[in-house]
Amino acid sequence: MPKNYDIAELKRLDVKHHLPAQQDWKLIEDMGGSRIITHAEGCHITDGEGNRILDGMAGLWCVNVGYGREELVEVAAEQMRELPFYNTFFKTVTPPTVLLAQKIASLTGGKLQHVFFNASGSEANDTVFRMVRHYWKLKGEPKRTVFISRWNAYHGSTVAGVSLGGMKFMHEQGNLPIPGVEHVRQPYWFGEGFGEDPVQFGKDCAAAIEKRILEVGPENVAAFIGEPVQGAGGVILPPPGYWQEVEAICRKYGILLVADEVICGFGRTGEWFGHQTYGFTPDIVPMAKGLSSGYLPISANAVSSEIVDVLKTGGDFVHGFTYSGHPVAAAVALRNIEIIEREGLVARTRDDTGPYLAKALATLKDHPLVGEVRSVGLIGAVEIVAEPGTNTRWGGAEGTAGPIVRDLCIANGLMVRGIRDTIVMCPPLIITHAEIDTLVGIIAKSLDEALPLLQAL
Ligand code: PXG
């Protein structure tokens, strides 16, 4: 049973002592503290006021197997009793770590046969940064140091993560990006290619990568990094053919291809990994979130044998974290993957719930506020516009309508994110048809309620 918390006191203490992530602390103070989430079950979270909310965000794009999985609790407790911690620095390792590496290698398949562990998605991308540069140095091409990424990409919140990412508002804090990261346009058809042929638009976006490679000099470019689907950027689905073009460009200039699968991994797009959905083969795959369904912090990098063979010529790779390969997190991740397999959640997302979500979202298309709906697997988005048939935004600038609709959705019992004027969702992979109907029904109701508010602006 959930504990009987003194919610008012917790809120007071929250304001007084707690500094929440990526947040305006003054705003939280003015609100009298954050919403306190006390417990959760299946696809629903419950807050301190007793509101039961459908979690359309799976926590933060991560609780793929849903809340309340007793066997994950048990496996964590068992592992803690047996061995709560040991490191991988002292020529030592623990059983769950080895077994999880093997499991991940079997899921990524092909040349991605080696796994490096970290505790977060950001750390996984820091690992990319150091591993890729070290690789090129050992390979005798030390000038290859430049990473190419995309504007509006999200690769984490550490110095390397923010730098690799393309969030300008994050770059503004901390004098980032660090040198050696180049950003090119994103394949965001609705926002930046509206009215153009989508396939041609995708080709143009890929061509921008090649153009930048030539400007920087191919001999200086180390890797291209991208999320198969940009999540935090607003669920940006690449146009058909985009990733094939990107892959061909990387191969043409001998540049490593990194697929950041932190959100797309573990069934989200209807395959184990987003690169499998989009049909391309990366050299390094950072992953996190769905790896443990968020039950414990853990991330990993699947790495190609070719890269590992080169790194093996260089002695120690002096990189790694105290919690690299944490045995409890690894044991939970292993069992989490077992649950995804046992319940067939990947195929169910591809063949059943994913198409069902797409059909349900399509019913919103005729709403006067909706410019586009899109989804792949169980990750989707609704674009809010001022005029049907256009991509014109309310108030003439992005970010007016999104927060209004998002807040109405939450008040109506659905947790979603509003990214600029895009409502995004990625529910747990266990979501049922009835819960998908509720999810889309609450968005429809919230759009109806938002319309007069927006008209009155
Ligand atoms: N890569 C991708 C693709 C991500 O989505 C990270 C790396 C970083 O992971 P960690 O575990 O270090 O947070 C992420 C994280 C949002 C939001 O606003 C998205 C993320 C994190 C926080 C907020 O949607 N994604």
Side-chain angles (χ1 to χ4, degrees):
M1 275 301 288
K3 296 188 191 77
N4 210 1
Y5 291 108
D6 181 343
I7 296 298
E9 175 66 356
L10 284 174
K11 286 198 168 194
R12 193 184 68 75
L13 295 173
D14 180 43
V15 169
K16 192 154 179 227
H17 298 295
H18 174 227
L19 302 175
Q22 303 209 6
Q23 193 47 266
D24 175 345
W25 298 335
K26 180 70 172 65
L27 182 85
I28 298 292
E29 182 177 303
D30 293 345
M31 279 168 52
S34 296
R35 180 192 297 268
I36 296 179
I37 306 301
T38 53
H39 54 286
E41 184 61 37
C43 290
H44 287 83
I45 53 174
T46 303
D47 71 13
E49 281 73 38
N51 297 303
R52 193 164 170 270
I53 301 168
L54 178 58
D55 188 5
M57 285 311 297
L60 196 53
W61 321 82
C62 57
V63 187
N64 288 15
V65 299
Y67 298 96
R69 292 285 190 165
E70 201 53 41
E71 62 181 301
L72 296 184
V73 180
E74 290 302 324
V75 88
E78 268 168 39
Q79 184 59 46
M80 278 196 197
R81 271 185 213 108
E82 191 170 296
L83 181 69
F85 177 77
Y86 208 74
N87 71 71
T88 65
F89 283 50
F90 298 157
K91 302 184 176 65
T92 51
V93 71
T94 67
T97 310
V98 177
L99 295 174
L100 181 59
Q102 177 206 28
K103 186 75 214 178
I104 291 172
S106 78
L107 297 176
T108 47
K111 63 184 184 181
L112 296 164
Q113 286 305 307
H114 309 272
V115 180
F116 189 95
F117 288 109
N118 331 262
S120 69
S122 300
E123 285 175 4
N125 284 325
D126 276 58
T127 295
V128 165
F129 208 94
R130 298 199 61 208
M131 184 182 276
V132 164
R133 286 187 167 178
H134 187 49
Y135 162 83
W136 284 118
K137 198 168 174 189
L138 287 173
K139 220 172 133 74
E141 296 190 58
K143 276 169 62 190
R144 283 200 187 255
T145 57
V146 174
F147 288 83
I148 298 186
S149 176
R150 291 152 330 158
W151 291 118
N152 199 38
Y154 192 84
H155 296 300
S157 191
T158 52
V159 169
V162 173
S163 298
L164 289 171
M167 301 282 177
K168 288 185 185 163
F169 61 92
M170 292 180 87
H171 290 165
E172 279 163 19
Q173 297 179 356
N175 294 347
L176 299 172
I178 51 177
V181 186
E182 295 281 325
H183 296 89
V184 298
R185 69 188 300 197
Q186 55 177 339
Y188 180 23
W189 179 83
F190 187 79
E192 297 173 14
F194 198 73
E196 294 174 32
D197 172 59
V199 172
Q200 187 56 47
F201 173 71
K203 282 199 174 126
D204 293 346
C205 291
I209 299 170
E210 182 164 25
K211 184 163 174 276
R212 188 65 62 89
I213 290 170
L214 293 172
E215 282 162 7
V216 172
E219 71 282 6
N220 299 316
V221 181
F224 174 80
I225 182 168
E227 305 147 81
V229 172
Q230 283 161 257
V235 180
I236 290 158
L237 307 185
Y242 171 80
W243 275 113
Q244 280 65 39
E245 297 274 334
V246 173
E247 183 175 33
I249 291 165
C250 288
R251 300 301 165 227
K252 183 171 167 189
Y253 297 102
I255 291 162
L256 295 176
L257 176 52
V258 182
D260 182 342
E261 297 271 5
V262 168
I263 283 179
C264 294
F266 300 93
R268 179 58 56 196
T269 64
E271 300 290 343
W272 280 96
F273 294 98
H275 67 266
Q276 295 163 346
T277 295
Y278 288 99
F280 67 100
T281 309
D283 301 294
I284 306 182
V285 176
M287 61 189 82
K289 296 193 188 264
L291 169 57
S292 66
S293 285
Y295 277 66
L296 282 175
I298 182 168
S299 69
N301 299 67
V303 186
S304 76
S305 303
E306 205 268 311
I307 293 176
V308 171
D309 286 348
V310 171
L311 289 171
K312 279 180 179 169
T313 66
D316 289 347
F317 175 43
V318 284
H319 174 75
F321 307 98
T322 301
Y323 299 129
S324 286
H326 193 289
V328 182
V332 167
L334 263 174
R335 185 62 68 87
N336 169 65
I337 294 170
E338 197 184 309
I339 292 172
I340 297 175
E341 285 178 327
R342 192 198 312 139
E343 299 184 4
L345 293 177
V346 179
R348 181 176 144 179
T349 301
R350 185 189 58 217
D351 302 332
D352 176 18
T353 44
Y356 192 85
L357 175 68
K359 239 173 72 192
L361 284 174
T363 64
L364 299 175
K365 269 203 260 184
D366 294 333
H367 194 284
L369 284 181
V370 174
E372 182 187 72
V373 297
R374 57 178 180 266
S375 66
V376 58
L378 283 172
I379 181 166
V382 178
E383 294 279 3
I384 305 165
V385 292
E387 267 178 72
T390 72
N391 68 352
T392 311
R393 305 299 186 172
W394 283 91
E398 290 195 318
T400 304
I404 293 175
V405 177
R406 174 205 58 205
D407 288 348
L408 286 165
C409 284
I410 297 172
N412 288 322
L414 171 69
M415 186 58 80
V416 285
R417 287 244 307 97
I419 296 172
R420 301 176 306 275
D421 291 321
T422 313
I423 298 298
V424 302
M425 70 214 72
C426 72
L429 305 185
I430 56 163
I431 194 166
T432 62
H433 289 198
E435 285 166 337
I436 290 173
D437 290 340
T438 303
L439 185 154
V440 174
I442 292 177
I443 295 176
K445 178 174 181 231
S446 306
L447 289 168
D448 288 345
E449 292 171 2
L451 186 58
L453 300 178
L454 287 165
Q455 284 166 339
L457 283 181

